[in-house]
Structure formats: structure tokens, C-alpha cells
Amino acid sequence: MTEPTSAGILQALRDVIDPEIGMNIVDLGLVYKADIVNGHVDVALTMTTPACPLGESIVEESKVAIQRHVPGIRSVSVDLVWEPPWQPSMMSDAARRQLGWT
């Protein structure tokens, strides 16, 4: 069996779309951490603003995406964090292009 990797976690999280922007949470720069230790996944992510009503929904979607797409994991913890505050500069170049910001 292949060991799960942080890259695999990030790939799974590309399936989680921020419905307000229509873009995945990885390219938006919302994923701050994706660690795996002994099969236990620990993810920290944020929202573009603390007022975003979709935080808990995106946390749950993230857990499901990881469990569905990453074999060999034992558990998944996804924490919603607010530090550091999200900034548009955290987006990937592809995300900025898609939004017409480059």
C-alpha cells in the first residue's frame, strides 16, 4: 500500500470548492497546513473572511474529500484557523489569473 503524502492531501483538497468564488480551497490559499504522522492527517485551513458562513461546511467537505481520495489514513482532523489572516497574495498564480487579478 502506498503511504499517504501531504501532496496527496492537497490534491484531494482541490476537490473542495469555495462556492462563493467557485475555486478550490488550495488555489485560493486557504489551506495553511496538511501534515500526516503515522496515518493521522492534520489540516489547518481558513476562510477569506471570518464572516464567511461556509466555514463549517468546508471543514466537513475537506474531511470527506481526504477520506475518499487518500488511501491509508487512520484519522482526519481539519481545524478552522484565523491566524494568519488570509490575504489575496496567498492565492496561486492560476487563481489570480482566473479572477483576472494579474
Side-chain angles (χ1 to χ4, degrees):
M1 178 166 50
T2 304
E3 288 294 315
T5 64
S6 292
I9 298 300
L10 292 175
Q11 187 60 39
L13 290 173
R14 289 188 191 308
D15 283 354
V16 180
I17 305 298
D18 180 316
E20 291 181 328
I21 300 175
M23 192 175 303
N24 75 72
I25 63 173
V26 175
D27 285 338
L28 279 173
L30 300 179
V31 179
Y32 287 173
K33 175 177 76 169
D35 294 336
I36 303 169
V37 177
N38 296 325
H40 301 282
V41 175
D42 186 24
V43 172
L45 57 84
T46 195
M47 299 289 102
T48 56
T49 173
C52 179
L54 301 170
E56 290 304 316
S57 173
I58 289 178
V59 164
E60 288 306 312
E61 285 182 50
S62 297
K63 288 178 185 176
V64 169
I66 293 166
Q67 291 166 338
R68 180 179 301 136
H69 298 294
V70 183
I73 59 172
R74 295 181 180 163
S75 66
V76 177
S77 171
V78 178
D79 296 313
L80 191 57
V81 300
W82 302 109
E83 292 296 326
W86 179 85
Q87 300 174 35
S89 63
M90 296 172 165
M91 291 189 299
S92 70
D93 289 340
R96 283 194 286 280
R97 278 193 303 276
Q98 185 174 338
L99 293 173
W101 293 5
T102 59

